[in-house]
Amino acid sequence: MNPERHIREPNSSISEKLSTEFRRIIEQHAIYCVYQPIVSLQDGAVYGYEALTRGPRNSIFHSPMELFKYAEKTGTLYALDKMAREKAIQGSILDHDQQLLFINISSEVIYDPQFIPGKTLEILQKYGLDPRNVVFEITERSSIEDFALAKKILEHYRKQGYRIAIDDAGAGYSSLQAIAELHPDFVKIDRSLIQDIHTNKIKEYILETFVTFAQKMNIQLIAEGIEHRDELTKLTRMGIHYAQGYLLGKPELHPASISEDQRGLILEYRKLHSGGTSWSIGDLVTPIQMFDRKAIISEVANYFKINVDAVGAVIVSDDVPVGLIMREHLFRQLSAQYGFSLFWNRTIDHVMDEFPLIVDEQMAVELVSQMATSRSIQNLYDLVIITSSNKMAGVASIRTILESITNVRMETARVANPLTGLPGNLQINRDLHKRLKEQKTFSVIYADLDYFKWYNDRFGFQKGDQLIQFTADILQQAIAVCGSLYDFVGHVGGDDFIAISMIPNPELLCQEMIRRFEQGVHRFYGGEDWDYIEDRSGNRIQSEGVTLSLSLVVCQCESPVSLEQISYASAILKKKAKAYNGSVYFSHHIGAAGAAI
């Protein structure tokens, strides 16, 4: 037997089976979509879903990687991509018309002669969706070769209302160039940059660059592949807009909405990130006139004529906002040629803006500002509609939003610590007075670095600042993991911090702070060794380096407690902790009968 033929026959057989199986999938439309939630890191609401294609469950082409790789190899990528888009739209599970459906499109498909504008719109209309609900997510299975042509094609879709996302930023062939050339609405940060970001400073610095860039370009960032709470905490504190990953929801045919516990965690992390100084958009809500979507235009026009200061009105259906009509837009429509005769007796839903900016009352004012100011120039000064549990709550004007941001930034800059951005002494004292007034049990943890002067002298002030920032990070991370919704972290100054917590077992919080500190502090030594270190008096001491001393004062408030008592108890505990070689905490209860150190 010819050995070459003996080798070729199995390969030929496998190739034929693959071809037959793939052809069957295409002919029978034997693919389906699962949906993974994309969650807002401002209010914990589900912002949209990414549609992910799957082949038949028992097929070699079940994996989308194998499926699309084979289609690309055999020149059938467009046929598969078109089918995947239709399946994604057909099975769409959007809860309301403000949510988005993210649909993957290979960069190669853009150039395909069969990529005919209008085909996706036909599919959307068939299933009752609108282009403004769809985000084309450009995947980089291969690099984009002709950015000018790609930009021209995508601009056509943008004009219809579609939005554009660049996938796998930080891992693709040319994702940075794609961002620069295509000016996407969203950038999805690849899992490779997200994994363990809470312990990897290099990844953190790279992501900080993305955040700064996104703010300047009005781009929304989506972090992919989040699997751990620490990652979520860090990303929320860094100002990432949206998150996606197994921690928040797995890809499923009908994924459950994010749980209240998960939403509570995100709101808690957001509070920690803002240091308690940021406003939610609900704080700015003002009432506004509402009309049913079937109200006659003449009725709305007469309202504006009588109420000369009214700039707009919200159009609702069963108390759910479905549109916005601005005074200027309505009168411009009516004053056009034949406008009066065409519109006067028609219903308001014929001329309203069907896609105004609608946000939940919990969303941070700064994020709403970014969303509002990234709108087209025609809608830049339109009112922002605010909802509570998806029901109409009121509106906020652009002027009010920008003024509130200015006030918050001025207040934060005035009282926050400039190195860590954490609340300073003024806010710390406010928080302590508030808790003492409430007379509920709470705990105060004073944190202090041991031998920090030695570290500063040996490694320099820049490294010292980095160690201070690291300490601020681990305290906040520990609070996020073990603390409660109303906990607080402040920076007294230098290497002194304070944490205030309402949890019933604050000892666990101290243990978590020490664990995180010990786990990460070694990387600040750069591999150096030493025989001894020096304390502030110049005495030589055997030590492995900087340690963390914690003083835990539990205020039971069964009897009156004062700030002086808290400070006195903390000073004694700090002295005990400093006498101990290594990271440690000592605790004491005050405000209860018989309590003694």
Side-chain angles (χ1 to χ4, degrees), residues 97-241:
D97 59 11
Q98 295 301 309
Q99 284 185 335
L100 300 178
L101 178 64
F102 287 71
I103 300 177
N104 290 289
I105 293 181
S106 171
S107 55
E108 283 196 350
V109 168
I110 296 173
Y111 307 111
D112 195 299
Q114 301 177 76
F115 192 69
I116 305 169
K119 289 294 183 182
T120 304
L121 182 58
E122 291 176 14
I123 301 170
L124 285 171
Q125 291 173 341
K126 181 179 177 181
Y127 294 103
L129 292 177
D130 189 275
R132 300 195 194 194
N133 294 119
V134 174
V135 180
F136 285 141
E137 191 171 316
I138 310 298
T139 60
E140 290 196 283
R141 298 189 184 97
S142 60
S143 60
I144 297 176
E145 296 177 358
D146 188 344
F147 278 105
L149 178 58
K151 189 173 182 179
K152 183 178 179 181
I153 295 169
L154 293 176
E155 192 59 34
H156 171 82
Y157 279 89
R158 267 208 175 97
K159 287 178 180 177
Q160 295 182 48
Y162 298 99
R163 281 175 267 191
I164 307 299
I166 298 296
D167 196 16
D168 301 329
Y173 291 95
S174 56
S175 55
L176 291 180
Q177 187 180 2
I179 294 169
E181 296 284 353
L182 302 180
H183 303 165
D185 304 283
F186 300 91
V187 168
K188 301 190 78 174
I189 309 297
D190 187 72
R191 168 66 180 157
S192 60
L193 281 179
I194 300 303
Q195 186 175 16
D196 299 325
I197 190 168
H198 57 290
T199 61
N200 190 315
K201 279 292 178 183
I202 300 299
K203 290 183 179 181
E204 180 182 339
Y205 296 150
I206 293 172
L207 202 55
E208 282 177 352
T209 303
F210 270 105
V211 171
T212 302
F213 170 78
Q215 288 172 345
K216 293 181 181 298
M217 297 297 296
N218 286 319
I219 293 173
Q220 305 293 300
L221 295 179
I222 303 173
E224 295 186 290
I226 298 173
E227 296 182 1
H228 303 289
R229 287 177 57 166
D230 285 349
E231 294 168 352
L232 184 64
T233 306
K234 187 69 176 180
L235 294 167
T236 305
R237 289 184 56 248
M238 292 182 71
I240 301 297
H241 306 105

Side-chain angles (χ1 to χ4, degrees), residues 41 43 60 223 258 278 282 324 349 371 462 465 478:
L41 293 186
D43 59 9
I60 190 173
I258 185 171
S278 181
L324 176 71
D349 55 1
M371 296 168 68
Q462 185 176 7
D465 285 349

Side-chain angles (χ1 to χ4, degrees), residues 456-517:
N456 240 0
D457 292 342
R458 183 181 179 100
F459 293 93
F461 290 109
Q462 185 176 7
K463 285 283 188 180
D465 285 349
Q466 291 176 8
L467 184 56
I468 293 290
Q469 289 171 328
F470 162 74
T471 307
D473 287 344
I474 64 102
L475 295 178
Q476 292 176 94
Q477 290 166 11
I479 284 282
V481 172
C482 300
S484 68
L485 180 61
Y486 300 104
D487 289 356
F488 174 93
V489 179
H491 190 171
V492 178
D495 59 329
D496 294 318
F497 297 85
I498 186 171
I500 305 172
S501 178
M502 300 288 287
I503 63 171
N505 48 350
E507 293 83 3
L508 292 178
L509 186 53
C510 292
Q511 293 165 15
E512 181 66 10
M513 290 175 176
I514 290 173
R515 184 189 72 81
R516 288 173 179 270
F517 182 84

Side-chain angles (χ1 to χ4, degrees), residues 350-362:
H350 285 90
V351 295
M352 72 180 185
D353 178 3
E354 296 180 275
F355 295 94
L357 179 54
I358 302 177
V359 297
D360 185 85
E361 62 182 348
Q362 297 290 342

